Amino acid sequence: MITETEAQRTPADLITDAKELRQQVQSVVRDTPVIDIHTHVFPPVFGDMCLSGIDDLLNYHYLIAEVFRSTDVSYACFWKMSKFERADLIWRILFVENTPISEAARGVVSVLDEFGLDSRAQNLKEARDFFNSRNLLDQVDWVLETARVSDVVMTNDPLDEIEAEIWRNGGNPDRRFHTSLRLDSLLNDWPDAARILASQGLHVNTGLSGSTIAELRRFLDNWIKRMRPLYLAISLPADFKFPDENARDRLIHEVVLPTAKQHDLALTLMVGVRRGVNPTLRAAGDGVGKADVTALERLCAENPEVRFLATFLARENQHELCVAARKFNNLMPFGCWWFLNNPSIAAEITRERLELLGPTFIPQHSDASVLEQLIYKWRHAREFIADALSESYEKLLKSGRAATREEIERDVTRMFSGNFREWVGVKSSVARIEGVS
Ligand code: FIX
Ligand code: ZN
């Protein structure tokens, strides 16, 4: 309840009406630019890695997983099809013969809606004609503007030969697209990585002996100099342990953490994926597993000067991640990753993060793989974020404190960009561990 005294003493622009408050929150969340801190989107200079248009949208691996639940087309037959034939099949099955009510299918509808295209079309002619008529460079501008995405962080793998060649020929001139140095290939399949690196002339061996560690430090130093990443990143399996008795553990201890410290780079951990649960689905074949959040706690405790960004894939790990972030202020939870990026689950995760962490987390990343997905992933995310945030301010109002629009803008800006800017820009902010001076 707002007392007469407080109303006299405090800013005239206090929002004391719940309906007005919800409208103000929705307007701020809708209009505040966001830094998309993890995506698989690339600018046109990356050639075929830059995916755009209706055929790429429909060949998204989320939709490939779903189409096989409604067709008797075999995996072998499906993969023999062209991208266009696969898109025709997915459109017919998921959008014509069935109602596109899944989140990934609804996402395509949201994109078509944004461009004024018919999402009830019987075929893809109109959509293909439209996207083929768009200039890709203009499309990038239009999509980022429409989605109100100020910056995109790519996923960049120095061991991907196609990408490495692009970097050797000049790399990325578009300053809206930032890099992250992705280390999965190096850490999660070390024998194969060792073979590739040895073929590139590095003196490395699978036993990690001799000059191997020094060579890997030099390899990362060179790619950091070339790519100028905002952070180092690794996805880790559900059974990830720290410490552990394997090559990945030695690489984390002796290469990744020292490199993060030397270059003052944040380290992003994405934990809980079970790769290749159904290999015949290819990129659509990965699954989820409950992971051990104590491994992350030990990483944070043993490396207080490293800033960690972390997201977990299992819904069951979300509350533990919030509690871990309360214990370690060098840990920044982010995103409702992949199978969690569904409004019903993302809403729950966002509410518990607001209750446990206030505005000290990053609510979402898109994980977009196709340029136009930025439109739907952020349209949908802004809906569940606005709902959760409205509830927080409404509860605060009921407890006796009204908010101003300026305060709502401050809080949303912090979550949409400020927390990330602080994590990737501040020099050697030495984090304190709760309970230890
Ligand atoms: O490890 C990752 O970056 C995952 O996001 C991808 O492997 C996954 O395919 C994806 O794009 C999920 O949204
Ligand atoms: Zn991803």
Side-chain angles (χ1 to χ4, degrees):
M1 178 59 195
I2 307 300
T3 62
E4 191 59 36
T5 321
E6 189 193 54
Q8 287 159 347
R9 196 176 58 235
T10 47
D13 49 2
L14 280 174
I15 308 166
T16 55
D17 170 71
K19 189 164 178 287
E20 164 68 11
L21 180 58
R22 183 164 283 265
Q23 286 166 349
Q24 292 280 0
V25 172
Q26 283 169 345
S27 141
V28 170
V29 171
R30 187 190 58 234
D31 298 340
T32 301
V34 68
I35 297 177
D36 197 341
I37 79 161
H38 170 66
T39 79
H40 303 270
V41 173
F42 298 93
V45 70
F46 279 72
D48 292 344
M49 291 173 70
C50 173
L51 302 179
S52 168
I54 190 64
D55 291 288
D56 285 325
L57 285 167
L58 291 170
N59 274 273
Y60 190 35
H61 63 74
Y62 290 32
L63 293 174
I64 290 175
E66 291 175 28
V67 78
F68 279 106
R69 299 188 54 72
S70 299
T71 178
D72 54 9
V73 169
S74 70
Y75 295 136
C77 181
F78 180 81
W79 292 118
K80 282 198 192 91
M81 292 178 184
S82 71
K83 175 172 85 171
F84 307 101
E85 289 166 333
R86 295 200 299 267
D88 288 331
L89 175 75
I90 290 166
W91 180 259
R92 176 168 59 83
I93 301 287
L94 296 184
F95 294 81
V96 178
E97 294 174 4
N98 289 278
T99 308
I101 50 176
S102 76
E103 177 60 10
R106 179 171 79 99
V108 175
V109 173
S110 293
V111 172
L112 295 177
D113 176 61
E114 192 65 47
F115 289 110
L117 297 170
D118 180 7
S119 60
R120 300 180 69 90
Q122 291 298 301
N123 59 55
L124 294 173
K125 183 174 182 339
E126 179 201 37
R128 281 179 175 140
D129 289 348
F130 171 80
F131 285 105
N132 289 338
S133 71
R134 306 282 282 186
N135 169 285
L136 192 49
L137 288 167
D138 295 342
Q139 186 76 337
V140 171
D141 296 345
W142 199 90
V143 167
L144 294 180
E145 179 68 31
T146 303
R148 280 179 303 293
V149 172
S150 61
D151 299 79
V152 169
V153 184
M154 302 180 280
T155 296
N156 304 101
D157 179 357
L159 287 176
D160 177 301
E161 197 35 52
I162 294 171
E163 177 167 7
E165 194 55 28
I166 292 166
W167 286 103
R168 282 193 278 268
N169 295 325
N172 166 43
D174 189 329
R175 297 181 60 77
R176 296 167 298 181
F177 286 79
H178 305 273
T179 53
S180 64
L181 185 45
R182 186 65 177 259
L183 301 172
D184 287 41
S185 305
L186 189 69
L187 272 74
N188 292 336
D189 188 353
W190 168 242
D192 192 46
R195 181 186 55 75
I196 296 170
L197 292 171
S199 72
Q200 295 178 3
L202 276 76
H203 301 292
V204 298
N205 60 67
T206 51
L208 293 170
S209 62
S211 60
T212 301
I213 297 298
E215 283 282 81
L216 292 176
R217 290 291 307 274
R218 188 169 61 85
F219 173 79
L220 291 186
D221 290 347
N222 290 338
W223 276 103
I224 287 167
K225 190 174 171 190
R226 180 177 274 153
M227 281 185 177
R228 302 178 63 74
L230 295 184
Y231 55 74
L232 306 176
I234 317 158
S235 79
L236 294 163
D239 59 3
F240 172 65
K241 294 280 175 279
F242 183 86
D244 204 343
E245 301 283 323
N246 55 31
R248 178 171 55 219
D249 186 81
R250 278 201 58 198
L251 291 168
I252 290 173
H253 272 105
E254 299 174 43
V255 178
V256 177
L257 288 167
T259 298
K261 291 169 188 171
Q262 178 196 336
H263 293 276
D264 194 22
L265 283 172
L267 177 56
T268 294
L269 305 176
M270 305 173 71
V271 191
V273 56
R274 291 167 51 236
R275 297 291 182 187
V277 168
N278 179 354
T280 40
L281 279 173
R282 299 184 184 176
D286 297 333
V288 59
K290 185 173 183 312
D292 174 8
V293 176
T294 66
L296 176 63
E297 291 173 349
R298 280 184 290 278
L299 270 162
C300 294
E302 292 173 22
N303 302 277
E305 72 277 40
V306 175
R307 295 179 303 284
F308 291 91
L309 285 151
T311 198
F312 280 73
L313 190 50
R315 178 181 183 186
E316 297 82 352
N317 285 134
Q318 301 309 315
H319 183 254
E320 295 165 288
L321 175 57
C322 288
V323 174
R326 290 171 60 87
K327 303 305 125 189
F328 300 100
N329 68 1
N330 59 328
L331 171 56
M332 178 71 71
F334 76 93
C336 302
W337 183 24
W338 203 340
F339 306 113
L340 300 173
N341 190 9
N342 295 296
S344 61
I345 304 174
E348 171 194 271
I349 294 171
T350 306
R351 285 183 174 82
E352 73 182 346
R353 286 172 174 174
L354 286 166
E355 290 168 339
L356 280 160
L357 303 172
T360 70
F361 66 98
I362 297 170
Q364 188 55 311
H365 67 279
S366 72
D367 233 316
S369 297
V370 183
L371 177 65
E372 291 84 8
Q373 288 175 340
L374 293 172
I375 292 172
Y376 93 77
K377 286 179 184 266
W378 283 106
R379 183 197 280 192
H380 297 185
R382 292 176 194 266
E383 289 165 3
F384 70 73
I385 292 166
D387 286 346
L389 205 46
S390 296
E391 282 181 26
S392 298
Y393 290 115
E394 283 161 11
K395 279 185 239 166
L396 192 62
L397 182 59
K398 282 194 186 117
S399 296
R401 173 170 167 153
T404 66
R405 183 180 171 101
E406 189 182 355
E407 288 163 346
I408 297 168
E409 288 168 347
R410 173 199 61 194
D411 300 342
V412 174
T413 301
R414 177 175 179 177
M415 289 185 278
F416 276 23
S417 56
N419 286 337
F420 184 64
R421 287 190 195 284
E422 187 217 344
W423 234 242
V424 300
V426 169
K427 287 291 167 222
S428 61
S429 61
V430 178
R432 280 182 304 103
I433 296 170
E434 192 168 48
V436 177
S437 60

